Amino acid sequence: MLIHEGDTRTPAVDLLLATILAFVAGGINSVGFLAYGYFSANMTGNVSLVSELLSDWKLRAAAAFFTIVLMFITGAFLASLFIQMGKRHRLKTVYALTLGFEGAILMLVGIYVSVLPDTVNGFTIVSLLALSMGIQNAASTRISGARVRTTHVSGLATDIGVGLALLWGAKGDVQREEIATRLRLHAATILAFAVGGVVGALMYTSFQGLAFCLLAALLFALCAIYSSGIVAAD
């Protein structure tokens, strides 16, 4: 799942990766907003808030949301840089290590918020979550050749609309199956994002903290271990 790239990947592998990562992104976005009022995965919403705040001359608040966007970009930049270096040195586990690093960030955030809740700065926490989401989006985009995008759903919703139109006019079973495969991937990603949001919200309500971060870190650890060959996998 985290070894093969681009056209060497099967639709089933892409579907599994998209489902796991979108579930995590939906949950992280949900708990970050419920806890601190900031989006950590939805950069469209953050940019819109920056614009609104700037129009009201609320410069400090606008700068905060803009910084979150910059942290997301920084995460994508660092992940891509690490992936390029890993590929240059033929490191087969570079994607597993990238998502493993994201999992480590989420684990540390979850533990810190749980152990020292009175010292938490919400802006700092969401900035770290945005950093992790940037890492995730860059890794999933690069390993899948941009087929898998997991931290936002606007583009996926557009792709579903376009895909349905293409499916309507498709000629031949092969073309229909190709389009249907993409539609399944996009639909599953949106569904997983939504389910992750529900689970994240429920866990936040139940535990009054970022326990979902620990669940996400566990999922990433399992994916990284499985794909790294520590557990035998084909």
Side-chain angles (χ1 to χ4, degrees):
M1 182 170 59
L2 296 175
I3 299 296
H4 299 292
E5 296 183 62
D7 294 334
T8 64
R9 298 171 62 80
T10 65
V13 169
D14 275 346
L15 184 63
L16 178 60
L17 180 66
T19 301
I20 294 172
L21 296 189
F23 173 82
V24 169
I28 293 298
N29 202 49
S30 177
V31 297
F33 183 77
L34 288 174
Y36 308 113
Y38 297 97
F39 290 117
S40 52
N42 181 9
M43 294 303 109
T44 303
N46 286 331
V47 172
S48 296
L49 286 171
V50 170
S51 300
E52 180 183 348
L53 291 166
L54 285 175
S55 69
D56 290 335
W57 290 97
K58 297 178 181 178
L59 302 183
R60 185 173 180 180
F65 282 101
F66 184 67
T67 300
I68 292 172
V69 175
L70 288 180
M71 288 295 286
F72 185 95
I73 294 172
T74 299
F77 168 76
L78 293 176
S80 294
L81 193 62
F82 178 71
I83 290 168
Q84 287 175 201
M85 293 173 59
K87 291 174 70 174
R88 191 177 301 126
H89 291 87
R90 299 186 180 183
L91 181 62
K92 292 184 178 181
T93 59
V94 63
Y95 289 104
L97 291 173
T98 302
L99 291 184
F101 180 65
E102 180 190 356
I105 294 175
L106 294 176
M107 180 181 67
L108 291 174
V109 168
I111 291 174
Y112 177 70
V113 172
S114 299
V115 175
L116 299 170
D118 296 334
T119 66
V120 169
N121 180 286
F123 168 71
T124 301
I125 295 299
V126 176
S127 293
L128 290 173
L129 295 180
L131 179 76
S132 72
M133 291 296 97
I135 292 172
Q136 174 177 308
N137 213 40
S140 63
T141 298
R142 293 203 56 170
I143 195 172
S144 68
R147 287 191 300 273
V148 174
R149 291 165 291 165
T150 61
T151 63
H152 56 280
V153 299
S154 299
L156 297 174
T158 302
D159 290 340
I160 288 177
V162 172
L164 288 172
L166 292 174
L167 186 63
W168 182 275
K171 298 179 180 179
D173 293 339
V174 174
Q175 187 180 27
R176 288 194 185 91
E177 181 56 32
E178 290 177 353
I179 297 171
T181 296
R182 291 197 297 270
L183 286 172
R184 284 193 291 268
L185 176 63
H186 299 325
T189 303
I190 292 178
L191 178 61
F193 190 94
V195 171
V198 172
V199 173
L202 291 175
M203 292 185 71
Y204 175 76
T205 302
S206 300
F207 301 105
Q208 290 299 311
L210 301 189
F212 186 85
C213 288
L214 301 178
L215 173 61
L218 176 61
L219 287 174
F220 282 139
L222 292 174
C223 290
I225 290 172
Y226 182 81
S227 296
S228 297
I230 297 176
V231 174
D234 189 0

